[in-house]
Amino acid sequence: MLRKDVVASVRSDTNVIVASYDRSQLQQTGTGHFSPLAAYHTASDRVLIMDVARFKYPPHWVTLRQLQVAMCSLDKSTKRTRGYVMLQLRTDSMPLIAFALKSNLGSNDADFATAVLSWKEFLLCDMMPDEKEELQLCCRKFGQCFSPHALCSSEKDVMVDKANNYRDSAESLSKACRTVCSEVRQTSIAGVFSSSAVAALMLAWPFEPGYSERSDRLAQLAKQELKSFSPDTRNEIDLLTTQLLTLIECSRPPPVLPGKVNSEPSKCQWHSDACCCINDIKL
């Protein structure tokens, strides 16, 4: 049964197996762990484990028998054996068809981690009194941080690379791509950017509630814009948010900053010479 399920999943574009196994059974450090299976080699009866903790172990091959033994190990907390789960792409889902983070980004990308830190520092700064200037400032700062990491796919790329992997035909994907781009371009945020991909990335940014007044204001603006989007565009933004959350969570060093402390003076006054906003960006 396990071999049959593994073969079926690696041959599928919509299914994946995630194994729960005991690392120690594979002569690795640690105990319980989850990772997806990406490939199966028939001649050697081995599976390729795409270890999610890549800083610890790169993708590696193990025999199906070794994996089975590791999955049959007892979990000390539940007193039950481990196993695997088969996940399937929802039939009503769509791929990222217009925008994405560049494919060479990874959890060890120092430039991305630095960009996140710079953006989160900026969010802690005091807001400008003029709403229009405030929005322009925020958009330009975001573009300064993330434009090198945003990717916009052409309709031709979408049709050639993705048409055969999803339920939609090339024609419907092309139509959806035009809709997504058009709706993003109509937002107040996109008016400041020359790139729709950067605008989409800002709309998808996972703002933390209560992080700062500026952050909450931008989150509310993005939320209002999302209400007018079609299902395809909302799906696009949701997928971008998932990508961002994953990279932010895994970035090294972790781009985490302390919240704003009311008892301390603001680190930024919009009219001050020391303000990083004024130094970074000229309106």
Side-chain angles (χ1 to χ4, degrees):
M1 178 63 74
L2 173 59
R3 184 176 292 102
K4 180 181 178 181
D5 287 343
V6 168
V7 172
S9 71
V10 299
R11 289 178 176 175
S12 171
D13 293 318
T14 58
N15 297 347
V16 65
I17 285 181
V18 177
S20 171
Y21 58 97
D22 184 350
R23 278 191 182 279
S24 64
Q25 296 294 324
L26 302 180
Q27 288 73 55
Q28 299 175 352
T29 59
T31 52
H33 193 56
F34 289 87
S35 285
L37 308 181
Y40 174 71
H41 186 247
T42 306
S44 62
D45 198 31
R46 292 175 182 267
V47 291
L48 178 62
I49 299 178
M50 301 298 289
D51 201 313
V52 294
R54 294 191 64 180
F55 66 94
K56 191 173 183 180
Y57 292 104
H60 51 276
W61 293 89
V62 300
T63 66
L64 203 59
R65 176 60 181 167
Q66 287 176 309
L67 179 61
Q68 184 180 32
V69 170
M71 290 193 298
C72 289
S73 171
L74 283 178
D75 186 317
K76 292 181 179 180
S77 60
T78 64
K79 309 301 181 185
R80 300 176 64 182
T81 56
R82 306 171 196 276
Y84 64 95
V85 60
M86 298 184 68
L87 304 179
Q88 184 176 36
L89 186 70
R90 293 199 316 264
T91 56
D92 61 343
S93 64
M94 288 276 286
L96 275 168
I97 56 176
F99 310 114
L101 290 166
K102 290 187 176 177
S103 58
N104 61 350
L105 272 180
S107 60
N108 295 320
D109 191 288
D111 289 340
F112 181 79
T114 301
V116 173
L117 283 169
S118 178
W119 173 241
K120 297 187 81 170
E121 286 175 349
F122 170 81
L123 290 178
L124 289 174
C125 295
D126 287 343
M127 297 173 59
M128 298 182 72
D130 184 277
E131 290 187 5
K132 184 177 180 180
E133 290 186 352
E134 167 67 13
L135 179 60
Q136 289 178 337
L137 183 67
C138 291
C139 290
R140 292 184 183 185
K141 177 61 179 179
F142 189 87
Q144 183 187 68
C145 291
F146 297 105
S147 58
H149 308 297
L151 180 67
C152 183
S153 302
S154 68
E155 290 181 28
K156 180 179 179 181
D157 292 335
V158 170
M159 292 172 67
V160 171
D161 297 335
K162 298 182 177 179
N164 296 325
N165 295 331
Y166 298 90
R167 61 178 175 81
D168 296 85
S169 65
E171 182 179 353
S172 62
L173 278 173
S174 178
K175 181 179 179 181
C177 185
R178 290 194 298 270
T179 299
V180 170
C181 291
S182 174
E183 291 183 350
V184 168
R185 287 306 312 168
Q186 291 174 20
T187 64
S188 56
I189 289 176
V192 184
F193 295 114
S194 59
S195 167
S196 299
V198 182
L201 212 58
M202 187 170 180
L203 289 167
W205 185 263
F207 293 101
E208 303 168 41
Y211 183 75
S212 69
E213 183 181 3
R214 172 173 277 167
S215 177
D216 289 345
R217 183 71 63 85
L218 290 173
Q220 183 62 31
L221 176 61
K223 185 178 180 180
Q224 290 296 325
E225 298 284 12
L226 288 174
K227 288 181 179 179
S228 64
F229 286 166
S230 65
D232 285 342
T233 307
R234 286 197 297 270
N235 180 73
E236 188 87 356
I237 299 302
D238 287 345
L239 291 175
L240 281 175
T241 301
T242 300
Q243 282 195 347
L244 285 167
L245 282 169
T246 302
L247 275 175
I248 292 170
E249 183 68 23
C250 298
S251 291
R252 299 290 184 271
V256 177
L257 294 174
K260 198 171 184 179
V261 181
N262 294 331
S263 60
E264 297 180 358
S266 170
K267 65 188 295 184
C268 166
Q269 296 293 333
W270 70 270
H271 57 277
S272 169
D273 292 337
C275 175
C276 64
C277 313
I278 299 298
N279 291 336
D280 286 350
I281 308 160
K282 300 294 184 182
L283 288 176

